[in-house]
Amino acid sequence: DGGITQSPKYLFRKEGQNVTLSCEQNLNHDAMYWYRQDPGQGLRLIYYSQIVNDFQKGDIAEGYSVSREKKESFPLTVTSAQKNPTAFYLCASSISGDAGELFFGEGSRLTVL
Amino acid sequence: DAKTTQPPSMDCAEGRAANLPCNHSTISGNEYVYWYRQIHSQGPQYIIHGLKNNETNEMASLIITEDRKSSTLILPHATLRDTAVYYCIVDALYNFNKFYFGSGTKLNVKP
């Protein structure tokens, strides 16, 4: 079945450590996105990528980094520079130019101890 | 930036129609109305979208007013599994990378 796989589902890290969240899709979508969600809040865009080897900052990119070396993969690194990294992270993909349907993964919940 | 206004929560009896309103008074001519929903601790799920005509699919119906300043998402026969946060989003076609997911409406479907 086609879809988006995020891993790990739950992650704990100590302050000062970098952590990388994985996002893989087998939908053959060109565009991929990372969102952050805090409790009781909506989603905020961190980074997005429309094609391989290209990505753009979203609204809250500070303290995060991404890469897009393969069409299927769009990993997100939460660096130690991110001051409040505890959150629910959601990866999504879409066919570039499609009429707006985003497909989301199940999310990764990061807790900084 | 918020382009839409939604009530924070609504209740609906199981089996009845759920009507979720959304105000988007500053919508531009090239902007679509999209609806997504998010069941607790899961990724959002696309429901439906439209420009100016009413739309219907297997999940829901979307009614957009003639002046396009507001819309209503209708779940014809709500079930307990429809309990979720529903997001109304306004954005231009091919610009969905800028989707703004606000706080949405928490729909509580009750037995």
Side-chain angles (χ1 to χ4, degrees), chain B residues 19-82:
Chain B
N19 297 282
L20 293 96
C22 180
N23 286 322
H24 32 80
S25 58
T26 61
I27 191 170
S28 300
N30 66 339
E31 290 182 319
Y32 283 66
V33 180
Y34 301 92
W35 283 84
Y36 283 75
R37 73 179 184 184
Q38 185 178 25
I39 296 170
H40 183 62
S41 294
Q42 296 183 20
Q45 175 191 24
Y46 166 83
I47 301 173
I48 199 167
H49 75 281
L51 182 62
K52 55 183 178 181
N53 297 322
N54 298 337
E55 302 288 344
T56 295
N57 63 20
E58 65 278 4
M59 290 183 68
S61 294
L62 174 60
I63 308 298
I64 302 174
T65 58
E66 193 168 343
D67 64 6
R68 302 207 325 122
K69 293 185 177 182
S70 66
S71 60
T72 301
L73 179 74
I74 301 173
L75 307 179
H77 305 286
T79 71
L80 298 179
R81 289 180 295 178
D82 292 322

Side-chain angles (χ1 to χ4, degrees), chain A residues 33 37 42 45 94 97-98 100 102, chain B residues 34 36 38 87 94 96-97 102:
Chain A
Y33 314 82
Q37 187 173 35
L45 183 64
S94 66
D98 190 50
L102 294 174
Chain B
Y34 301 92
Y36 283 75
Q38 185 178 25
Y87 298 100
Y94 306 123
F96 41 83
N97 47 290

Side-chain angles (χ1 to χ4, degrees), chain A residues 59-79:
Chain A
D59 298 322
I60 56 165
E62 185 175 352
Y64 299 98
S65 66
V66 294
S67 62
R68 186 85 188 277
E69 298 176 0
K70 298 187 299 182
K71 187 175 184 178
E72 308 79 37
S73 178
F74 191 41
L76 173 74
T77 296
V78 184
T79 75

